[in-house]
Amino acid sequence: MLRVAVVGSGPSGCYTAQNLVQRDAEVRVDVLDRLPCPYGLVRYGVAPDHEKIKSLQGSLRTVLEHERVRFLGGVRVGDGAGGLPVQRLRGLYHAVVYCVGAATDRRLGIPGEELPGSWSATEFVSWYSAHPDAADAGFLRGVRSAVVIGVGNVAVDVSRMLVRSAAELRPTDMPQGALDALAASELAEVHMVGRRGPAQARFTTKELRELGALPGTEVVVDPAELTLDPADSGALPPGQRRNLEVLRDWAVRPPSGVSRRIRLRFFLRPVELLADDGRVGAVRFERTAPDGQGGVTGTGRYEDVPAQLVLRSVGYRGVPLDGLPFDAASGTVPHVAGRVVRGGTASPGEYVAGWIKRGPTGVIGSNRSCAKETVTSLLADAPVLARAEVPEDAVAALRAAGIEPVPWGGWLAIERAEAELGARLGRSVVKLSDWDTLLEAARSA
Ligand code: NAP
């Protein structure tokens, strides 16, 4: 039997485990996660109102319930107190696949970024997704106008969540605190701002269109900002063409007089966050112009957009894991076809899949082919890897290292506790949002 550890139980970890057990009947997989809950960004990143995407948890669950797959929650791989160092983990299994995603956000690197009221979209998403590390930072207190920097799908998600009403969010599994805060919000305007033109926006048309269908909210687009780069004067790729059709349609719609607006802006590069009474009060943008090659140049003209909340939605970034090589420029682990590269050569027994391998791009399904490539490399190395002596069951070694994993039954107990909480609140399932409550529920199993 080949014993494999997969670190991370998000889509890339689950697809890796699935591919391994489907392709080789002689493989057993432990899927480790530092959280007591599985599913990674499907649980803690996909917006709560995207129920269809959330329902993917059902197929990931099937993987984790496979007879040769075992979920071990509450196991943090890495140095430091309570962690399992990479080298120690490597000795417990024939192979380890790191599917740890891109756990942090990219920075803007402009003055004022640290002002109170300025957050990464990741922090905001974590809060409304009940991530146990997220803080209730009073994101919405006193906010009339918000600026979302970036025009990718995460920017669309947070803009939509900012304007959704409590009635629309109540049926979701959003934590009660976040629901109450959004219900009390007096926010009237969200400015979602791209530094380049509409043809360079990264959102997908389905997600974009959804903004136009939100009750009580209108989308405002300035026709003057729908200019195309001369480089785009030929046929645009279908996705970009469809985005432009949607934007052009919105640009000619008369105002509807509803109470909330999402203003979609383009050709504005953030240069500074301006303070007002010790917290963010506005974002200063420099107007840009197309440079003829899909990029932009500054024009020396500036515009200040008032905002008491700024969400930087400019992409995720991988975090180095002690003991694993890391390419700081790309925020990924160097690899060849999924094999981790150490000192210029592929290191048999150590693999990567998902965002830590290829960077934070693509949709959830992109992780399937990514995992398949990595598993192909691993299975090719298997005859050599299988010669190593490893423990029959790594859990005993984890316990000896002072780590008590949360088993699948512990996660099922968390699910039951979330259903009970929802029933008490007169809602459906409501997520538990702090470590103590999650671990208490898990231990009740
Ligand atoms: P993204 O798609 O890479 O978009 C990042 C945005 O930030 C771009 O508009 C980018 O503009 C802008 N940006 C980067 N640096 C900037 C700077 N210094 N100043 C101003 N703007 C800056 O990232 P994401 O939205 O975080 O999404 C990550 C991945 O998750 C994507 O593959 C996305 O499709 C996926 N996702 C999918 C869904 C869904 O399917 N519903 C939901 C959420 C996320 P430039 O293009 O000019 O660099």
Side-chain angles (χ1 to χ4, degrees):
M1 225 7 128
L2 190 79
R3 297 183 189 283
V4 180
V6 168
V7 183
S9 65
S12 63
C14 288
Y15 292 145
T16 299
Q18 182 178 43
N19 212 265
L20 277 165
V21 292
Q22 275 176 353
R23 286 169 65 182
D24 193 327
E26 293 298 309
V27 177
R28 276 189 185 278
V29 184
D30 282 347
V31 179
L32 278 44
D33 203 295
R34 80 181 182 90
L35 296 176
C37 310
Y39 311 136
L41 274 187
V42 177
R43 179 173 161 92
Y44 289 116
V46 172
D49 62 336
H50 272 176
E51 273 118 11
K52 192 154 171 236
I53 311 181
K54 284 257 176 226
S55 69
L56 254 175
Q57 290 185 11
S59 56
L60 303 185
R61 176 189 203 103
T62 314
V63 175
L64 296 176
E65 289 185 335
H66 187 282
E67 57 183 358
R68 283 181 286 119
V69 177
R70 177 169 64 169
F71 172 73
L72 299 174
V75 181
R76 186 180 64 77
V77 175
D79 293 351
L84 182 70
V86 160
Q87 285 315 322
R88 181 91 182 89
L89 175 67
R90 181 70 195 87
L92 298 181
Y93 292 89
H94 292 114
V96 180
V97 189
Y98 293 92
C99 302
V100 293
T104 191
D105 52 282
R106 292 178 56 206
R107 314 286 299 169
L108 289 169
I110 60 174
E113 198 169 357
E114 310 302 334
L115 280 171
S118 158
W119 306 96
S120 69
T122 322
E123 289 166 306
F124 185 62
V125 170
S126 294
W127 167 67
Y128 67 59
S129 303
H131 194 291
D133 287 344
D136 180 354
F139 292 96
L140 298 162
R141 222 167 288 142
V143 175
R144 299 278 304 156
S145 168
V147 162
V148 176
I149 297 174
V151 282
N153 278 333
V154 171
V156 174
D157 274 350
V158 297
S159 299
R160 194 181 68 250
M161 292 301 292
L162 280 169
V163 299
R164 280 249 193 243
S165 69
E168 293 166 81
L169 294 172
R170 204 175 153 74
T172 73
D173 63 5
M174 169 180 269
Q176 191 62 35
L179 180 64
D180 292 342
L182 284 160
S185 157
E186 292 177 358
L187 180 136
E189 281 202 326
V190 177
H191 308 258
M192 183 175 142
V193 189
R195 61 181 170 177
R196 298 191 288 158
Q200 283 79 40
R202 303 268 186 98
F203 41 62
T204 40
T205 313
K206 184 166 163 283
E207 278 62 31
L208 178 66
R209 274 208 187 103
E210 218 181 331
L211 296 180
L214 296 172
T217 299
E218 68 178 347
V219 184
V220 180
V221 178
D222 179 351
E225 290 184 346
L226 295 185
T227 321
L228 288 191
D229 189 305
D232 294 323
S233 55
L236 285 172
Q240 283 155 281
R241 187 174 39 75
R242 283 193 296 266
N243 282 349
L244 267 163
E245 282 164 12
V246 174
L247 293 167
R248 283 181 181 140
D249 177 38
W250 286 339
V252 294
R253 277 196 195 170
S256 65
V258 293
S259 57
R260 284 182 166 167
R261 260 168 300 284
I262 297 176
R263 291 189 187 275
L264 268 171
R265 306 290 313 271
F266 296 99
F267 295 111
L268 290 173
R269 171 160 72 199
V271 290
E272 186 175 357
L273 271 60
L274 307 173
D276 180 11
D277 208 9
R279 50 176 295 128
V280 70
V283 184
R284 176 159 297 164
F285 291 96
E286 181 181 16
R287 179 152 290 284
T288 60
D291 67 359
Q293 289 161 359
V296 284
T297 50
T299 62
R301 286 183 288 125
Y302 295 87
E303 176 177 336
D304 294 349
V305 177
Q308 302 77 43
L309 170 69
V310 177
L311 296 177
R312 308 176 306 263
S313 183
V314 295
Y316 290 93
R317 204 183 141 67
V319 175
L321 186 57
D322 313 304
L324 260 199
F326 187 71
D327 174 20
S330 62
T332 59
V333 171
H335 73 96
V336 176
R339 288 183 186 92
V340 171
V341 171
R342 280 187 186 274
T345 49
S347 167
E350 293 179 301
Y351 307 85
V352 279
W355 278 1
I356 197 64
K357 172 185 171 189
R358 61 176 207 280
T361 56
V363 292
I364 292 171
S366 318
N367 291 299
R368 281 184 183 278
S369 50
C370 181
K372 192 173 170 199
E373 182 194 56
T374 296
V375 169
T376 302
S377 298
L378 192 159
L379 293 179
D381 299 343
V384 175
L385 298 174
R387 288 185 209 142
E389 287 276 326
V390 298
E392 189 65 25
D393 185 355
V395 167
L398 292 176
R399 289 197 178 122
I403 299 166
E404 184 59 50
V406 173
W408 186 246
W411 158 245
L412 295 181
I414 291 174
E415 276 193 322
R416 284 195 297 277
E418 295 190 333
E420 285 161 17
L421 175 62
R424 279 203 300 283
L425 294 167
R427 297 174 55 194
S428 54
V429 170
V430 173
K431 278 171 158 178
L432 303 176
S433 54
D434 65 273
W435 278 101
D436 288 348
T437 329
L438 285 168
L439 292 175
E440 194 183 311
R443 286 195 193 107
S444 73

